[in-house]
Amino acid sequence: MNKVENNKAWFLVLPMLLLVAFSAIIPLMTVVNYSVQDILGRSAFFVGSEWFVQTLNDSRLQSALMRQFAFSFTILAIQVPLGIAIALLMPKKGWQASAVLILITLPLLVPWNVVGSMWQIFTRGDIGLMGYGIRQLGYPYNITRNASDAWITIIIMDVWHWTPLIALLCYSGLRAIPEAYYQAAQIDRASKWAVFRYIQLPKLTNVLVIGVLLRFMHSFMIYAEPFVLTGGGPGSSTTFLSQTLATMAIGQQDLGPSAAFSIIYFLIILAVSYVFYVTIMNMQKDKADNISGGA
Amino acid sequence: MQWMVWTLPTAIFFSSIASILAGMTVWQVISPTVERKGFLPIATTRGDRLFIGLLSSAYIHLGVVGFTDLSLWLALGFCVLWMAILMRWG
Amino acid sequence: MSQSTMTNTQAQSASPEKTAEEGLTRAVSRQKGESVGRNRFLLSIYLVFTLLPIYWLINMSLKSNREILSVFSLWPQALTFDSYIKILTDPSWYMGYVNSLTYVAMNMTISILVALPAAYAFSRFKFIGDKHLFFWLLTNLMAPPAVFLLPYFQLYYTVGLFDTHIAVALAHCLFNIPLAVWILEGFMSSVPKEVDETAYIDGYSFPAFFIKIFIPMIRSGIGVTLFFLFMFSWVELLLARTLTATNAQPIGAIMTRTSTASGVDWSTLAAAGVLTIVPGILVVYFVRNHIAKGFALGRT
């Protein structure tokens, strides 16, 4: 769509800008201020880049960061294919479509701490269906003792919680494919795989980029669910970035180092999302060019 | 404002960011930017190059602070140079 | 565990059939019926996986604590609604739901009111810094609340809003306004620009056009946006808990009361959890036909 050049549009944006800036910029500036000072109660000393040196070389934070990346890539590797598969399986019309849609959306509507509690109840060895069931099969399943049990459980929980997002995105992408495409494929006797590869997947890339972006961001923010389920343990095997930060800032009152680390964290997120953003924008531009070129 | 624990260096930092933004706006009004392709892999406008420059400068600073003993002023000087190259040929 | 077995069965049942299908490219109706059956089967496995933890929560909420801890059973042996009755009659419990719903409603109102004009600006006009502003908005969607907890607390304390509903509503604007702008912009961009031009030729002023013509045209988009605003404000707890003490405490914070030194009150915890899902189900029912498009941010 050709947009009109008009700087008066700023007036339409202004109220939104002020509200978001109030919540975003003032705290961000404060975090930057914290990061260069040693704050003890009411007094603060300027320490320059000391906290940055310390946090960049802190092995605890480095391992939390590594764990975070491992977690984010694992869940993306499971959720994206699974989400696509579910979207392909979902009924396309009728009351079944609505019913399945509502059922699949359910996990997204559960408050994040309740997700943690729900899975805590579900996976406990004494009262939980999953924990009790696995123990009956003979495996001594225990998420408070065994780090790999805790890891796998958190990944299953996240798959349960967030695969619906990818599935619904893909479902809406699939519904936007005109019926004529499928008819043409049927005339050409295209195999199911060919239909998926050359008709459905190209249509999905657009929504998938959004899905991967949203999932990546949210997986970086994960806090309440593992906090309630495992408390970050056993040891620190399931302590992800947000929890590490929250413990530093509130638990130990290490304002300076946690602020310095917040800024590093923020810069990582900023760089990754800029790459995604540029990709999305270029894809939209290509699409627009194709349409105008075709017409 | 007391609780925000302002210091002179951070105040200078934020005011320079603010004045760069203001300056870019004025520049844009006087002579609007044209999107072009430089040595960066994507076509960029002036504002895009500024953003990429600032973000990469932040990373350069972090690298220097965290993993070398070089002076921060050296990093700053290098970043100014890098920004100039990026704005002109990026 | 259930996850891995599920993907295994999926892979096993899919691969031989898939090769068979690739050999037989002719679409025979009998075969089609079989594949529909197989699809239904695989989908229902996933639905069971989705519903099982929720079922277990409901199961727990209908048992007494003694039963929970003494016998393991797949359904309540002695059905009891005591936990629900306790929550719905004790003000210190049910006020948590009222508080949560209050700030969610406030947040939805504020967000949609400021996001509508902003999304219109992004979808129709070019202005200085538009792309960068939009990107900045998106970065707020990604800002992890854990990073900002302390400054938030101090900010709202300083302006005297600590422990009020409006504080939480304003704080949730941080991610909800950008989300609303993003979704609404998608929906608005699919309305042809000729609509605007025709209305202006017909003599509508901008506000009149916007309210009388444009907003009704993107009704479904607004509905879906409201659903998302509800969802993200309702599920967030970290900020809500940090910015409140007693007057505006969200239900999520009150739920922590169930774990005491003498053990966890599983039944009440489960019942409170079940009750937090109910509003979501009511809301999703209203937007069920448009929700898929909303998830794609109006961009399919």
Side-chain angles (χ1 to χ4, degrees):
Chain A
M1 182 181 303
N2 290 323
K3 294 182 188 174
V4 189
E5 185 114 25
N6 187 349
N7 282 321
K8 279 186 199 140
W10 264 102
F11 290 108
L12 295 173
V13 182
L14 205 61
M16 182 266 322
L17 184 66
L18 291 176
L19 261 177
V20 181
F22 177 73
S23 294
I25 292 185
I26 296 177
L28 182 67
M29 289 199 292
T30 314
V31 168
V32 173
N33 289 342
Y34 285 163
S35 73
V36 295
Q37 296 179 81
D38 191 359
I39 298 162
L40 295 156
R42 296 203 153 267
S43 54
F45 308 96
F46 184 74
V47 296
S49 57
E50 194 186 315
W51 299 134
F52 286 94
V53 178
Q54 188 189 318
T55 42
L56 281 168
N57 294 300
D58 185 336
S59 61
R60 191 171 50 123
L61 292 174
Q62 283 166 356
S63 58
L65 191 63
M66 283 299 115
R67 250 195 314 275
Q68 182 67 60
F69 273 112
F71 174 76
S72 295
F73 286 115
T74 314
I75 56 135
L76 279 177
I78 299 174
Q79 290 176 358
V80 171
L82 186 62
I84 296 175
I86 292 161
L88 288 170
L89 295 176
M90 278 164 75
K92 286 170 191 65
K93 44 187 175 282
W95 65 269
Q96 294 111 315
S98 302
V100 169
L101 214 55
I102 292 176
L103 289 180
I104 282 191
T105 318
L106 272 184
L108 295 171
L109 297 162
V110 184
W112 294 343
N113 64 313
V114 177
V115 172
S117 302
M118 183 189 286
W119 278 81
Q120 191 190 15
I121 291 178
F122 192 56
T123 57
R124 274 179 66 102
D126 52 351
I127 62 169
L129 181 63
M130 182 174 148
Y132 186 82
I134 294 174
R135 281 190 189 179
Q136 289 299 303
L137 295 173
Y139 177 76
Y141 173 82
N142 189 335
I143 57 169
T144 52
R145 293 263 173 74
N146 187 325
S148 50
D149 285 0
W151 248 95
I152 292 168
T153 310
I154 287 199
I155 286 179
I156 296 174
M157 176 177 71
D158 203 80
V159 167
W160 177 85
H161 192 181
W162 287 109
T163 305
L165 182 75
I166 305 272
L168 289 169
L169 273 168
C170 293
Y171 179 68
S172 72
L174 288 175
R175 289 230 305 204
I177 300 174
E179 193 58 33
Y181 284 39
Y182 292 116
Q183 283 162 1
Q186 209 170 13
I187 292 167
D188 291 346
R189 298 185 172 173
S191 68
K192 262 197 162 173
W193 170 252
V195 170
F196 175 69
R197 175 66 190 81
Y198 297 105
I199 297 179
Q200 294 174 321
L201 198 59
K203 271 281 180 182
L204 286 182
T205 42
N206 221 345
V207 283
L208 273 179
V209 175
I210 299 173
V212 171
L213 173 65
L214 285 173
R215 279 312 301 127
F216 183 80
M217 286 157 22
H218 273 123
S219 69
F220 247 73
M221 282 188 232
I222 187 167
Y223 176 81
E225 302 98 311
F227 184 74
V228 176
L229 181 62
T230 64
S236 57
S237 55
T238 53
T239 311
F240 299 111
L241 272 191
S242 285
Q243 201 188 327
T244 315
L245 270 175
T247 327
M248 267 166 85
I250 296 159
Q252 305 162 354
Q253 297 283 325
D254 280 340
L255 283 190
S258 66
F261 193 58
S262 299
I263 291 168
I264 297 167
Y265 183 167
F266 200 64
L267 285 173
I268 295 172
I269 293 280
L270 207 57
V272 175
S273 19
Y274 188 67
V275 172
F276 271 104
Y277 178 70
V278 167
T279 319
I280 293 178
M281 287 299 141
N282 278 345
M283 269 166 38
Q284 280 177 358
K285 205 171 16 177
D286 287 350
K287 211 165 148 189
D289 288 351
N290 283 342
I291 290 166
S292 58
Chain B
M1 280 310 197
Q2 183 63 42
W3 63 273
M4 287 179 77
V5 286
W6 281 101
T7 64
L8 190 63
T10 48
I12 293 172
F13 172 74
F14 280 112
S15 12
S16 44
I17 296 275
S19 39
I20 288 175
L21 286 181
M24 290 297 282
T25 313
V26 174
W27 190 4
Q28 174 73 17
V29 172
I30 296 171
S31 79
T33 173
V34 183
E35 195 167 290
R36 65 169 165 80
K37 180 96 177 54
F39 66 78
L40 290 170
I42 48 166
T44 52
T45 62
R46 214 182 276 147
D48 297 334
R49 290 193 292 277
L50 175 78
F51 175 78
I52 294 170
L54 287 177
L55 191 61
S56 52
S57 299
Y59 273 93
I60 293 170
H61 275 98
L62 279 184
V64 169
V65 162
F67 308 111
T68 66
D69 293 325
L70 298 174
S71 154
L72 257 189
W73 298 108
L74 206 68
L76 185 66
F78 178 75
C79 285
V80 171
L81 191 70
W82 162 240
M83 283 293 286
I85 294 171
L86 199 64
M87 291 304 280
R88 177 65 190 81
W89 291 288
Chain C
M1 216 16 158
S2 62
Q3 178 56 37
S4 61
T5 44
M6 188 194 113
T7 37
N8 275 342
T9 47
Q10 206 168 13
Q12 277 161 9
S13 66
S15 53
E17 232 163 303
K18 182 146 276 174
T19 45
E21 266 168 18
E22 272 167 7
L24 280 167
T25 44
R26 228 168 295 167
V28 188
S29 63
R30 184 180 56 85
Q31 204 186 24
K32 211 171 181 179
E34 256 172 33
S35 89
V36 167
R38 191 200 61 193
N39 286 356
R40 290 268 162 85
F41 175 69
L42 292 175
L43 187 64
S44 43
I45 291 179
Y46 179 76
L47 286 178
V48 168
F49 169 62
T50 298
L51 295 178
L52 219 48
I54 300 177
Y55 167 73
W56 202 250
L57 197 71
I58 297 172
N59 179 16
M60 287 292 154
S61 70
L62 296 173
K63 291 176 177 180
S64 67
N65 276 318
R66 252 187 56 204
E67 193 193 334
I68 290 175
L69 293 173
S70 56
V71 270
F72 183 89
S73 61
L74 293 176
W75 53 84
Q77 307 292 318
L79 197 68
T80 165
F81 291 95
D82 284 353
S83 302
Y84 289 99
I85 292 166
K86 179 177 161 194
I87 290 171
L88 293 174
T89 51
D90 179 356
S92 70
W93 268 103
Y94 68 71
M95 280 315 285
Y97 291 96
V98 175
N99 289 335
S100 289
L101 287 171
T102 311
Y103 68 68
V104 169
M106 282 176 169
N107 174 270
M108 284 164 74
T109 317
I110 299 171
S111 299
I112 200 87
L113 284 181
V114 301
L116 275 170
Y120 184 79
F122 281 117
S123 84
R124 291 293 193 263
F125 302 115
K126 260 187 216 158
F127 48 95
I128 292 179
D130 52 355
K131 274 161 56 195
H132 306 100
L133 187 66
F134 201 70
F135 176 67
W136 173 72
L137 277 181
L138 294 190
T139 62
N140 290 313
L141 265 179
M142 304 157 199
V147 173
F148 292 128
L149 280 188
L150 213 73
Y152 261 106
F153 174 80
Q154 292 196 304
L155 172 63
Y156 285 98
Y157 202 83
T158 317
V159 295
L161 288 175
F162 179 72
D163 202 17
T164 57
H165 299 103
I166 193 79
V168 184
L170 283 175
H172 283 180
C173 283
L174 175 70
F175 46 85
N176 262 356
I177 290 180
L179 187 75
V181 172
W182 203 9
I183 300 176
L184 285 173
E185 198 261 336
F187 276 96
M188 286 179 178
S189 294
S190 62
V191 175
K193 248 181 85 175
E194 286 69 31
V195 173
D196 306 29
E197 282 153 10
T198 322
Y200 293 139
I201 293 169
D202 289 351
Y204 277 93
S205 67
F206 172 71
F209 153 73
F210 198 67
I211 294 163
K212 285 191 193 141
I213 298 178
F214 198 68
I215 288 186
M217 286 190 76
I218 53 161
R219 247 192 341 251
S220 62
I222 293 176
V224 170
T225 310
L226 285 172
F227 164 75
F228 278 88
L229 294 176
F230 172 86
M231 176 173 128
F232 279 101
S233 186
W234 180 252
V235 296
E236 205 282 337
L237 177 74
L238 202 54
L239 285 174
R241 201 175 57 188
T242 311
L243 295 178
T244 55
T246 47
N247 292 327
Q249 211 177 19
I251 179 63
I254 293 177
M255 279 172 71
T256 56
R257 228 199 285 159
T258 53
S259 72
T260 55
S262 58
V264 183
D265 184 355
W266 295 112
S267 177
T268 313
L269 178 67
V274 171
L275 288 177
T276 60
I277 311 177
V278 174
I281 297 176
L282 295 180
V283 175
V284 76
Y285 181 77
F286 288 111
V287 291
R288 64 192 181 283
N289 293 327
H290 307 287
I291 186 176
K293 198 176 177 202
F295 271 103
L297 306 168
R299 278 188 181 73
T300 47

